[in-house]
């Protein structure tokens, strides 16, 4: 069964420090993509970063990087130099590629991150 | 370029009432999706569409209907509202794949629905 698991309901991090948000996934499809979205208290969904299953290098986008360990089926989000504005809910999600690539996303339960000043 | 817009932002329904949640995108995207987010949870797919005239069920379609008569619009219909449909509803869209393979979905601001 296709599934995304985020085991950390809540996390705290000190401002300017780095934090890792965990995500594990389960799929038998060899071709898939992994996403991280941020949802601040205002409610909108903000795309952060994407990793394809065949990408050789870990994805990076500014202060965000994705620690992709394919054999372990994990796709952890690393936020460097945390800022107060990083306080939000973070969702890991997966979509399957292949012949009928509909782009449907499967989401994890989310992790609430609070950045302390 | 407004992206994905949703109306209304908030709505309170009585049990048994019907309503349509509107979703419009101006990016000429083929793919459109409806998700619901229950409090403290991740999003779950209700319905999706791969193009005008083509729709299919997602993970939680019961109690909902959709149509896609144009590329731009993808309304979600609730026929007989139930308290279990109290949720935040997100519409999203994405374009055709381009190299490198990238399936980013663009989300609307959401509609907060309460059924009493």
């Amino acid at each position: 069964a296709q599934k995304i698991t985020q085991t950390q309901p809540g996390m705290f991090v000190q401002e300017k420090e780095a934090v890792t948000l965990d995500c594990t996934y389960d799929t038998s499809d060899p071709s898939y993509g992994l996403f991280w979205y941020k949802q601040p208290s205002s409610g909108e969904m903000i795309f952060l970063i994407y990793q394809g299953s065949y990408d050789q290098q870990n994805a990076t986008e500014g202060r965000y990087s994705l620690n992709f360990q394919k054999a372990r089926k994990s796709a952890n989000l690393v936020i460097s130099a945390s800022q107060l504005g990083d306080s939000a809910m973070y969702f890991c999600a997966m979509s399957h590629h292949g012949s009928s690539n509909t782009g449907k996303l499967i989401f994890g339960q989310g992790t609430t991150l609070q950045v302390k000043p | 370029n407004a992206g994905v817009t949703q109306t209304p932002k908030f709505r309170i329904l009585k049990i048994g009432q019907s309503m349509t949640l509107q979703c419009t995108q101006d990016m000429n995207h083929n793919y459109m999706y409806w998700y619901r987010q229950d409090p403290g949870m991740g999003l779950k797919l209700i319905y999706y569409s791969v193009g005008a005239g083509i729709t299919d069920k997602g993970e939680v379609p019961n109690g909902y209907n959709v149509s896609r008569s144009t590329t731009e619009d993808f309304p979600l219909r609730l026929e007989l509202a139930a308290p279990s449909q109290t949720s935040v509803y997100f519409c999203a869209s994405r374009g055709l794949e381009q190299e490198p393979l990238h399936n980013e979905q663009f989300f609307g601001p959401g509609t907060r629905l309460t059924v009493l």
Side-chain angles (χ1 to χ4, degrees):
Chain A
Q2 300 158 1
K3 190 177 179 181
I4 292 280
T5 302
Q6 295 179 254
T7 57
Q8 306 155 312
M11 292 278 289
F12 288 92
V13 65
Q14 204 67 36
E15 193 178 9
K16 300 180 185 177
E17 291 185 349
V19 63
T20 297
L21 306 184
D22 294 340
C23 172
T24 58
Y25 60 92
D26 188 15
T27 181
S28 56
D29 193 324
S31 182
Y32 52 89
L34 296 156
F35 301 78
W36 279 91
Y37 281 86
K38 173 183 178 182
Q39 187 177 44
S41 58
S42 51
E44 70 267 33
M45 296 290 288
I46 301 168
F47 167 75
L48 294 178
I49 195 166
Y50 167 84
Q51 179 86 41
S53 59
Y54 293 121
D55 292 345
Q56 296 295 314
Q57 294 187 329
N58 286 345
T60 60
E61 291 283 353
R63 295 187 298 111
Y64 304 107
S65 60
L66 201 152
N67 184 1
F68 181 46
Q69 298 189 43
K70 196 170 182 177
R72 293 185 175 185
K73 293 189 175 178
S74 74
N76 298 340
L77 177 71
V78 180
I79 305 175
S80 63
S82 296
Q83 301 172 357
L84 296 178
D86 294 334
S87 295
M89 179 83 95
Y90 289 81
F91 290 100
C92 181
M94 176 172 63
S95 70
H96 288 89
H97 304 166
S99 59
S100 61
N101 179 8
T102 59
K104 297 181 290 183
L105 289 175
I106 301 165
F107 283 84
Q109 309 94 307
T111 295
T112 300
L113 177 67
Q114 292 193 22
V115 180
K116 295 181 176 179
Chain B
N1 193 338
V4 180
T5 57
Q6 293 182 237
T7 56
K9 285 187 169 52
F10 304 94
R11 183 72 185 268
I12 298 175
L13 282 182
K14 294 183 179 179
I15 295 171
Q17 286 185 322
S18 300
M19 77 164 294
T20 299
L21 282 66
Q22 301 291 346
C23 175
T24 300
Q25 53 92 8
D26 62 0
M27 297 174 281
N28 201 31
H29 283 172
N30 286 60
Y31 299 88
M32 295 188 74
Y33 312 86
W34 275 106
Y35 296 90
R36 60 175 285 174
Q37 183 182 24
D38 296 333
M41 304 295 288
L43 281 67
K44 293 186 177 180
L45 183 66
I46 305 171
Y47 271 95
Y48 68 99
S49 170
V50 301
I54 307 170
T55 63
D56 205 350
K57 296 177 180 178
E59 184 183 357
V60 288
N62 291 344
Y64 307 95
N65 278 301
V66 294
S67 60
R68 183 97 182 269
S69 57
T70 67
T71 299
E72 295 78 20
D73 300 306
F74 190 40
L76 178 72
R77 178 84 178 159
L78 282 71
E79 289 295 347
L80 292 170
S84 61
Q85 294 177 304
T86 294
S87 192
V88 179
Y89 292 83
F90 288 97
C91 180
S93 73
R94 91 176 162 99
L96 289 173
E97 294 171 22
Q98 296 177 9
E99 289 297 331
L101 199 64
H102 200 295
N103 290 347
E104 176 189 349
Q105 290 185 20
F106 296 84
F107 283 81
T111 293
R112 187 175 295 274
L113 176 67
T114 302
V115 182
L116 300 174

